[in-house]
Amino acid sequence: MQINGIPVADTFAEAFAMWGARVLITAENEKWAQAAARTMTGFATSVIGCKCEAGIERTVPAAETPDGRPGVAVLLFAMDSAGVGKRLVERIGQCVMTCPTTACYNGLTAEESVMVGGALRFFGDGYQASKLLDGRRYWRVPVMDGEFLVEERFGVQKAVGGGNLLILGDDTAAALAAAEAAVAAMQQVPGVILPFPDGVVRSGSKVGSRYKALIASTNDAYCPSLRAVAPNTQLPEDVGCVLEIVIDGLDLPAVEEAMRRGLQAVARPGIRQISAGNYGGNLGQFKIGLHALLNGAGETA
Amino acid sequence: MSALTFRLRHEPQLRVSLALLVPQTLARLSPAAIPEMELTWGSGAIKVGELFEIRGSDASHLVFEGGSPKLDRIGEAMASGEIIVRGDAGAYLGHRMAGGTIRVDGSVGAYCASGARNGFITVDGDAGDFLAAALPGEHRGMAGGLVLIRGDAGERAGDRMRRGVVLIEGSAGDYCASRMGAGTIAVLGRTGAGIATGMRRGTLLLRETPELPPTFNDCGVHDLGFLQLLYRSWASLPGGFAALPGNSLTVRRLVGDLGNGGKGEVLVWV
């Protein structure tokens, strides 16, 4: 199968069951809302090393936020709901509460929820106060610029992490341009984030390592400089650069839609093949076939 | 189905409790059984049919026509549905209310919304003393829901209030928010003496700077973001609370009562 004359490998992306939350950060202006969101989503590229994956979903106009100020929606994912709760407390406490003028609201209606503001309130050292409005409790924590307002509980739901595309290009310039185009298209999909730097990852990994201390190591099958020595290289002779885009989403349809848009956007001159990463189908709960996506179908197998 | 309507036949000579006439009780009764229900009437009893002319059948929507300040306990422990009172109501309106809506186009007596846990009460006229307050011997007053008084409130509004929102478009009598434990009270008119005496927690939002006890300290003027959430939650209400003064978040924050824990706040728009 091809898109715009570019081969699409008959393979699948192997995605995993995760738990996700949406955090809505507002501030006096968009600059500070973005500052808090960027800080909160820093060092959150992979659960392997960061304990969670997080990214900015979208900017939220003032007319859509609870307090009428400019906002930014952040999605955060971890392997279980308790993990989401711990990471939210850490990251909202260290990155949002510390940021001037911000407030922080739950942005996800879900059956389950985790305590966030109810834990952060203790920073108020007894001076904190709460308001219960329309069934939702908000904590007012006194801080040096006034009050930090944070919702007591945040909704969490089952989610999907690890959807991905592999872009095999002639060289770095071609692969990078295609990846940037794909990221721009995929970021338009609600409910997904691309957790790596500006959405792109170059150090794709495989499970395991020859070193016992490591649970993951470089994906040598896709390293161009190892084409002639890696035992199971997947690279044709003319591929000089491979970049990956990883997608986490609040549900499978959102991840699939992002991948579908990414496939279309990445098919451009200088790309030799579009593929996806998997572990043989033995680890992840979801197998998202590239051909099935292009045929309008969803998850395969 | 039309609303189940109780039209008062005559002004009652004695106080009468309408606690049994709530949607969850009436829904279980046949139309024939309702006039035979006995209401507490002074120290005795009176049948519903003797006091009211009854029409309609929808027990989830009750209407009391021809109100009286002697009609006590309207909507007591009400769990859902709607009660409309065309005229005045007596004491304990919405006492221990757990849900639903009560609308009164006249005035109400003492202890309106006392012990209410949820629900919405609107009074177009005035409210008597002890609005949303605790009954004698009880530790907690109103514990949830929202009460909107379009007129004035009597003394000790919000005494020992535990949670919820009380909005008074007119003025409040003496000792408003006394011994208040939590929740929010807002008054657009004037307030009386002894305001917030013994206040432990909660928020009292005022338009005019009150005569506070000396055990309140002035923490200065601040922009408080949570007020925007309050205003938005009131935006659909009738009357003045839907359009507060420029939706201003800027208030003077007076904290106290420092003689009683000191975690309450009186906020005055500036």
Side-chain angles (χ1 to χ4, degrees):
Chain A
M1 182 174 280
Q2 296 184 338
I3 310 175
N4 299 338
I6 297 176
V8 177
D10 185 10
T11 187
F12 59 90
E14 191 167 351
F16 296 83
M18 298 182 83
W19 285 76
R22 178 186 281 124
V23 176
L24 177 56
I25 301 167
T26 67
E28 189 69 18
N29 53 46
E30 189 177 330
K31 165 190 159 60
W32 288 108
Q34 289 283 1
R38 278 198 315 272
T39 312
M40 181 185 166
T41 55
F43 188 58
T45 54
S46 167
V47 287
I48 296 172
C50 311
K51 301 180 183 176
C52 69
E53 298 176 8
I56 292 174
E57 182 189 24
R58 68 180 181 113
T59 58
V60 183
E64 296 179 25
T65 65
D67 57 17
R69 303 190 301 169
V72 176
V74 164
L75 299 182
L76 182 143
F77 299 88
M79 298 311 290
D80 52 43
S81 58
V84 173
K86 289 177 185 173
R87 304 292 87 80
L88 287 176
V89 170
E90 290 169 352
R91 287 169 181 266
I92 293 174
Q94 298 301 314
C95 308
V96 183
M97 184 166 69
T98 56
C99 182
T101 78
T102 59
C104 198
Y105 306 99
N106 170 37
L108 187 64
T109 303
E111 291 181 4
E112 290 193 39
S113 63
V114 293
M115 187 73 80
V116 178
L120 293 173
R121 69 182 167 121
F122 293 108
F123 184 73
D125 200 25
Y127 294 105
Q128 70 273 19
S130 74
K131 282 286 169 235
L132 185 64
L133 297 171
D134 298 326
R136 298 166 74 156
R137 184 175 294 283
Y138 304 86
W139 282 98
R140 301 163 51 198
V141 181
V143 287
M144 295 192 300
D145 75 348
E147 288 184 345
F148 173 54
L149 189 64
V150 57
E151 197 158 344
E152 179 167 84
R153 302 192 71 89
F154 281 65
V156 291
Q157 71 177 41
K158 288 183 177 176
V160 178
N164 67 83
L165 292 177
L166 288 170
I167 304 163
L168 284 60
D170 285 341
D171 51 31
T172 301
L176 208 50
E180 289 174 6
V183 166
M186 296 162 90
Q187 284 177 332
Q188 303 304 312
V189 179
V192 302
I193 55 156
L194 314 176
F196 284 93
D198 269 4
V200 185
V201 51
R202 67 161 179 191
S203 59
S205 59
K206 68 177 184 293
V207 176
S209 163
R210 71 176 64 194
Y211 305 108
K212 290 181 181 177
L214 299 182
I215 61 172
S217 59
T218 192
N219 194 359
D220 49 67
Y222 286 92
C223 291
S225 61
L226 300 179
R227 181 186 293 120
V229 294
N232 57 344
T233 185
Q234 300 293 313
L235 299 183
E237 281 294 323
D238 46 7
V239 171
C241 175
V242 180
L243 294 176
E244 182 177 359
I245 299 175
V246 173
I247 309 107
D248 296 336
L250 289 173
D251 55 32
L252 186 59
V255 174
E256 290 176 337
E257 177 60 20
M259 287 180 61
R260 190 176 290 115
R261 294 194 192 187
L263 280 168
Q264 297 290 346
V266 84
R268 48 193 290 156
I271 302 304
R272 294 291 168 180
Q273 191 185 77
I274 308 167
S275 186
N278 61 65
Y279 311 97
N282 299 320
L283 294 180
Q285 289 79 11
F286 306 98
K287 300 170 191 169
I288 306 171
L290 300 187
H291 288 189
L293 282 177
L294 293 175
N295 290 329
E299 184 190 11
T300 59
Chain B
M1 286 195 294
S2 58
L4 183 54
T5 302
F6 298 85
R7 182 173 182 77
L8 194 62
R9 293 182 185 276
H10 50 78
E11 177 72 19
Q13 293 178 323
L14 303 173
R15 303 197 77 84
V16 57
S17 169
L18 305 189
L20 292 177
L21 302 184
V22 290
Q24 69 265 30
T25 302
L26 294 171
R28 297 196 300 267
L29 298 177
S30 68
I34 293 174
E36 300 302 314
M37 296 173 71
E38 290 194 337
L39 306 174
T40 301
W41 162 262
S43 59
I46 186 171
K47 288 187 176 178
V48 171
E50 292 179 37
L51 192 61
F52 295 106
E53 177 186 318
I54 304 171
R55 67 176 191 277
S57 57
D58 182 0
S60 65
H61 294 88
L62 307 183
V63 177
F64 293 98
E65 291 183 345
S68 165
K70 291 179 180 170
L71 299 179
D72 292 341
R73 298 185 187 277
I74 292 176
E76 180 165 87
M78 175 181 178
S80 63
E82 181 184 46
I83 295 178
I84 295 173
V85 182
R86 304 204 190 285
D88 295 338
Y92 308 105
L93 181 121
H95 179 233
R96 297 188 190 283
M97 182 179 181
T101 301
I102 302 176
R103 301 180 195 278
V104 182
D105 63 17
S107 295
V108 299
Y111 290 105
C112 173
S114 173
R117 301 194 305 275
N118 205 344
F120 176 44
I121 298 174
T122 309
V123 178
D124 285 347
D126 301 329
D129 295 340
F130 295 100
L131 168 67
L135 296 183
E138 291 189 347
H139 293 289
R140 292 180 173 183
M142 179 178 173
L146 188 148
V147 180
L148 171 62
I149 307 297
R150 306 292 307 277
D152 299 332
E155 296 183 1
R156 287 196 181 271
D159 181 58
R160 286 189 184 272
M161 182 174 159
R162 180 64 185 86
R163 197 178 291 126
V165 178
V166 174
L167 305 177
I168 301 167
E169 283 194 37
S171 297
D174 294 345
Y175 293 97
C176 178
S178 58
R179 306 185 294 179
M180 184 175 177
T184 303
I185 300 175
V187 183
L188 296 186
R190 293 175 166 274
T191 51
I195 188 170
T197 298
M199 185 180 189
R200 293 179 59 241
R201 288 180 182 274
T203 302
L204 177 57
L205 190 57
L206 302 175
R207 183 173 271 168
E208 296 188 8
T209 302
E211 289 288 332
L212 281 167
T215 43
F216 273 77
N217 282 1
D218 187 347
C219 291
V221 175
H222 305 278
D223 289 339
L224 300 180
F226 86 97
L227 290 173
Q228 190 63 260
L229 302 189
L230 278 182
Y231 299 157
R232 289 190 167 207
S233 72
W234 302 340
S236 61
L237 296 176
F241 282 98
L244 286 170
N247 276 356
S248 173
L249 306 182
T250 307
V251 290
R252 180 170 295 282
R253 186 168 191 259
L254 304 126
V255 173
D257 182 337
L258 296 170
N260 194 26
K263 292 182 179 175
E265 62 181 358
V266 177
L267 307 178
V268 184
W269 284 299
V270 296

